[in-house]
Amino acid sequence: MESQRIESNTYRTYNQLVEDFITGQPITKKLKARVYSEALALQYASQREFTAESRSILVEALKSQYAKAGIDSANGILSAQLGMLSKSASYTITTGHQLCLITGPLYFPIKILQIIKMCKNLNSAQEGKTFIPVFWMASEDHDFDEVNHAHIFGKTLEWNDEQGGIVGDYNCESLETTLLEIKTILGNSERADELMALFNESYSSDANLSIATRRLVHALFGHKGLIILDANDPELKKALSPYLLREVAEQLSNTLVAQTNELLTTDYKIQVNPRPINLFYISSNSRMRIDLDNKEFRTENGSKTWQLDEIKAEIVEYPERFSPNVILRPLYQEIILPNIAYVGGPGEISYWLQLAASFEGFGVQFPLLSLRNSFVWLDAAKMKKLNKLDLLPEDLFLSEPDVTMKLVNLEEDANEIEAETISIMQSFENIAQSFQKVDASLKAYTLAEGRKTEKQLEEIKKRLIRAKKDKNREQLDSYWNMHEKVFPKGNLHERYDNFVPYYLKHGAVFFDTLSDAIDPVDTRLCVISE
């Protein structure tokens, strides 16, 4: 297999704010955020403060979470990683994602592979410090519709359930029908049986979605040293409670993020907007936004209300009932982890860039940011079609007119017509100048006739294009059928396809190939071809 990088001016997967950030534009200094590099990671690690008590709480919480999932943390690589995490010279590189069904889109595992690669590079580049990859499970998310499906071989698998509340607490018992559907799609092969055994074990009826996701991700990536964290943990949230007390008393994040948004709003699209209180309240089968109305705190449906002293008392006694929203979740992450860098997609990096001032206000170190690598995987069949069409992988990213021009060999014809048109129009200009000496009105008439002729030539050109398109319809259809598979629903297939079809064909080599191609500091699109 081969890989190549596509220049960003050919195809770009990120927005203007992210582009300006990763290319070091002046906005970077104003936002007080920095792009990841190995040198900066080592520098940040030397400045990172994280107490022995915090490490102990973190490691014990992780051990308990793995135990609840039936995973032995006392032996093997997991035990070694947890042991290293308890030491003062260890640091984390983190990514996070929603608890998508069987990992959802391809960029779910890509983000994980990137933090593993980053830690591997850092650990081999120096001695004295250890870097550990951590996957943050978004178990407190309550948008079940965003995680209840996966796309395999163009088919959409969906888990229909209405349990309500945070997605991590959803019981997997109702997944039985969906798992049977997956089995039918996978068919019969050794790798299909391997995957189905893994899915059945992970999503067993006694598991919730948090446990199931931990089992699945651990089975796929635990042997590479990945640590999986569920922050919906009472012991971990105790560390967050002092910051939540400031949030409800001062509305600090709202003020500071709003100031950053004012800085950005003229030139960039704002990814997230803060609220006066950036918290949710978790109760049985619900996660409700907390609003502030005339000094009274209330859940969005009004079922629970507090005065300031009352909500502060509940935060101290029951911190697990409070859930940070997108504005405060990153802060929570950096409070409970000895973290150095965060890997995210373009949307994530955009909203992280809005938060640096808020971190500073809370007195928490803001991490380095790394844009996740973006991939296109071209299998042997697609490469064969490209070769047959005399196209290169980068031609998949041309505009439709440019593709048509190249596929049906229109460029030479178009250039010839253009040259003839210029020549003819020059002739009309010459005639008009000559006629002007006889009668000035003849110049205007001649030029008008010239414009008619120009339009007729343009119509001839259009008819030629249509005729050549019809003559080359088979090639064009072949190209666009392939293009739809690379860009399903108009997006890169990494945002749509699940890993399963690739794993069925290549096994674990698929992940190894992605890992080998990952470069944490190269943000150009990577094309892998078989």
Side-chain angles (χ1 to χ4, degrees):
M1 297 182 190
E2 298 179 356
S3 66
Q4 67 179 92
R5 295 277 174 166
I6 302 295
E7 294 292 343
S8 60
N9 60 355
T10 303
Y11 185 82
R12 192 178 72 183
T13 62
Y14 39 86
N15 59 41
Q16 190 62 49
L17 175 59
V18 174
E19 180 176 19
D20 287 353
F21 172 62
I22 63 180
T23 56
Q25 300 305 309
I27 192 67
T28 303
K29 291 183 179 179
K30 293 180 182 179
L31 295 175
K32 300 179 181 179
R34 303 186 76 178
V35 178
Y36 170 85
S37 71
E38 289 186 12
L40 280 176
L42 295 174
Q43 178 184 325
Y44 269 45
S46 66
Q47 301 167 352
R48 187 69 163 94
E49 296 180 359
F50 200 71
T51 67
E53 181 184 8
S54 296
R55 287 184 185 278
S56 177
I57 291 171
L58 173 63
V59 171
E60 290 306 310
L62 285 166
K63 288 179 178 178
S64 175
Q65 290 175 16
Y66 276 100
K68 289 177 182 177
I71 299 171
D72 182 10
S73 64
N75 297 291
I77 295 174
L78 176 57
S79 176
Q81 291 292 78
L82 291 174
M84 292 304 302
L85 190 55
S86 66
K87 297 181 179 180
S88 61
S90 66
Y91 307 91
T92 61
I93 307 291
T94 306
T95 193
H97 207 274
Q98 295 167 296
L99 309 187
C100 297
L101 181 65
I102 59 172
T103 75
L106 273 172
Y107 63 82
F108 181 117
I110 288 170
K111 291 163 75 175
I112 291 174
L113 289 168
Q114 183 156 327
I115 61 171
I116 292 171
K117 181 75 169 284
M118 292 163 71
C119 289
K120 181 180 178 181
N121 291 347
L122 286 167
N123 289 332
S124 63
Q126 52 81 49
E127 295 181 358
K129 295 181 175 66
T130 302
F131 295 85
I132 298 168
V134 172
F135 176 65
W136 179 289
M137 296 199 299
S139 58
E140 295 179 51
D141 193 341
H142 59 274
D143 197 339
F144 183 65
D145 289 342
E146 291 189 356
V147 304
N148 71 337
H149 58 276
H151 305 291
I152 304 177
F153 293 120
K155 297 181 179 180
T156 300
L157 296 156
E158 191 167 350
W159 175 16
N160 294 306
D161 203 312
E162 298 180 357
Q163 295 178 43
I166 61 174
V167 297
D169 286 348
Y170 268 63
N171 185 275
C172 295
E173 187 174 3
S174 61
L175 254 174
E176 183 178 358
T177 301
T178 306
L179 290 172
L180 289 174
E181 189 177 354
I182 294 174
K183 180 176 176 59
T184 300
I185 293 174
L186 264 57
N188 297 314
S189 69
E190 184 176 341
R191 286 181 183 145
D193 292 343
E194 174 191 343
L195 286 176
M196 278 314 305
L198 175 57
F199 295 155
N200 286 326
E201 182 179 351
S202 298
Y203 296 95
S204 60
S205 60
D206 64 335
N208 62 26
L209 187 54
S210 287
I211 288 175
T213 303
R214 179 183 298 275
R215 289 172 176 171
L216 177 58
V217 174
H218 177 72
L220 293 174
F221 304 108
H223 65 285
K224 294 179 179 290
L226 182 70
I227 296 293
I228 303 161
L229 175 65
D230 184 350
N232 185 26
D233 186 296
E235 293 304 311
L236 296 177
K237 283 195 173 178
K238 286 180 183 178
L240 178 64
S241 58
Y243 300 88
L244 298 189
L245 294 176
R246 289 193 66 187
E247 173 70 6
V248 297
E250 304 172 37
Q251 293 86 63
L252 190 59
S253 62
N254 180 43
T255 300
L256 295 175
V257 175
Q259 290 174 0
T260 300
N261 286 358
E262 282 187 28
L263 180 68
L264 295 172
T265 190
T266 301
D267 298 315
Y268 305 103
K269 177 183 178 181
I270 299 301
Q271 194 74 14
V272 294
N273 287 294
R275 300 183 56 79
I277 302 298
N278 291 289
L279 290 172
F280 290 90
Y281 187 73
I282 297 175
S283 61
S284 179
N285 295 328
S286 69
R287 181 179 184 244
M288 295 175 288
R289 185 182 68 245
I290 297 176
D291 294 324
L292 178 60
D293 182 17
N294 194 27
K295 296 185 178 181
E296 181 180 71
F297 300 86
R298 62 173 64 231
T299 55
E300 58 187 288
N301 66 357
S303 62
K304 189 169 180 63
T305 61
W306 305 263
Q307 295 301 311
L308 178 58
D309 59 338
E310 294 172 331
I311 195 170
K312 290 173 72 174
E314 188 164 353
I315 286 172
V316 171
E317 189 169 2
Y318 302 105
E320 68 274 12
R321 295 178 181 175
F322 295 87
S323 176
N325 73 356
V326 67
I327 297 292
L328 284 179
R329 189 214 68 77
L331 183 79
Y332 181 25
Q333 172 185 296
E334 300 304 306
I335 290 167
I336 64 174
L337 288 173
N339 200 50
I340 300 303
Y342 183 77
V343 171
E348 289 176 285
I349 298 300
S350 289
Y351 76 71
W352 271 84
L353 288 172
Q354 297 174 235
L355 306 179
S358 178
F359 272 67
E360 186 176 46
F362 278 108
V364 177
Q365 179 174 300
F366 193 71
L368 299 168
L369 299 178
S370 175
L371 181 66
R372 73 161 174 84
N373 278 202
S374 197
F375 285 89
V376 166
W377 186 288
L378 299 177
D379 59 27
K382 293 185 181 69
M383 288 304 300
K384 184 178 180 180
K385 283 187 177 182
L386 282 173
N387 292 332
K388 186 176 180 180
L389 294 170
D390 198 25
L391 296 176
L392 298 171
E394 53 263 40
D395 292 326
L396 285 166
F397 307 97
L398 294 175
S399 66
E400 183 173 352
D402 288 341
V403 168
T404 301
M405 185 77 71
K406 191 164 187 176
L407 267 180
V408 300
N409 300 315
L410 277 172
E411 187 171 2
E412 185 176 341
D413 293 324
N415 289 340
E416 183 179 349
I417 293 174
E418 184 68 24
E420 291 294 340
T421 300
I422 292 173
S423 177
I424 291 170
M425 293 307 297
Q426 185 61 54
S427 296
F428 272 98
E429 178 69 28
N430 294 339
I431 293 171
Q433 293 297 334
S434 177
F435 282 2
Q436 186 178 25
K437 299 174 183 178
V438 178
D439 186 340
S441 64
L442 285 175
K443 178 181 179 181
Y445 173 77
T446 303
L447 292 177
E449 291 299 309
R451 287 191 290 273
K452 290 180 183 179
T453 301
E454 185 178 22
K455 290 180 180 180
Q456 290 174 336
L457 290 170
E458 183 62 30
E459 184 60 31
I460 291 171
K461 179 180 175 181
K462 290 179 181 178
R463 291 194 177 197
L464 174 64
I465 292 173
R466 286 198 295 269
K468 296 204 77 172
K469 278 185 177 181
D470 290 340
K471 185 176 181 180
N472 294 273
R473 180 55 54 194
E474 184 178 345
Q475 292 94 320
L476 286 167
D477 287 347
S478 177
Y479 173 85
W480 289 113
N481 287 337
M482 176 179 53
H483 192 272
E484 172 59 26
K485 293 176 181 177
V486 179
F487 295 91
K489 309 297 182 183
N491 291 311
L492 279 178
H493 71 101
E494 65 169 23
R495 302 190 62 83
Y496 186 83
D497 291 342
N498 185 262
F499 81 93
V500 164
Y502 304 88
Y503 194 93
L504 287 176
K505 184 175 181 180
H506 302 285
V509 171
F510 170 65
F511 292 136
D512 293 338
T513 302
L514 286 174
S515 180
D516 289 343
I518 285 173
D519 184 341
V521 297
D522 192 337
T523 57
R524 294 174 299 166
L525 181 71
C526 185
V527 178
I528 296 178
S529 54
E530 295 181 12

